[in-house]
Amino acid sequence: MDSLIHDLRDITIRRISVSEMDNNVYLLTSKATGAQLLIDAADDLAAIQALLADAAADTSATPKLALVATTHQHWDHVRALPGLVEATGVKTAAGTDDAPELPVPVDVLLDHGDVGNFDGFDVSAVHLRGHTPGSVALVYQDPEGPAHIFSGDSLFPGGVGNTQNDPERFAQLISDVSERLFGVYPDDAVVHPGHGKPTTLGAERPHLEEWRARGW
């Protein structure tokens, strides 16, 4: 399966789906420098290593995996993380409030508004509380196009993430998603969720009040 999904000015974004839960694994590669960010080492280390090998074609430089970021602590998003760290020695990042639950030590703690500077591109962290305490979205702003939001399990086509029928957690998540994503980024922003197909903020924006009213 061809993993290439977005060929932008400065970076390439590749995606593969792994596991019985259709987890998305994303890889951002700087065309100029080869620096790479992997988002969610969810499962299937061999498939992730094949993704890294495929991405060598995306840069004229030598590719180097600089960081693996985890959007949230849930087990289905971290099953390949220990193996990837062992195989590559890559540094890890996660939201501050989820980091203690990860199966590996976390090198970089992510709080709301933090910016990761990679050699050739930047990615910012957006703390979205509710699905888990430390869930983060990671946002790449294309200088010549829309923002790309890697939303983990906090925002999907058709709704926000699961809050286990807890009204307080749902209120927190819908508020954070509304204020920190829909309130900041325009309709053309592309949402790359933790499972399934992408969407845009514009496609989902008309339904925000419907989601709030239904409570999930």
Side-chain angles (χ1 to χ4, degrees), residues 175-206:
S175 293
D176 278 1
V177 165
S178 297
E179 295 166 11
R180 297 179 174 187
L181 294 181
F182 287 94
V184 173
Y185 298 98
D187 283 352
D188 65 354
V190 182
V191 178
H192 303 277
H195 307 261
K197 295 182 178 180
T199 185
T200 64
L201 290 186
E204 307 305 323
R205 193 183 301 273

Side-chain angles (χ1 to χ4, degrees), residues 72-84:
H72 64 290
Q73 63 177 272
H74 283 160
W75 65 276
D76 58 308
H77 291 262
V78 299
R79 284 184 281 185
L81 188 55
L84 184 66

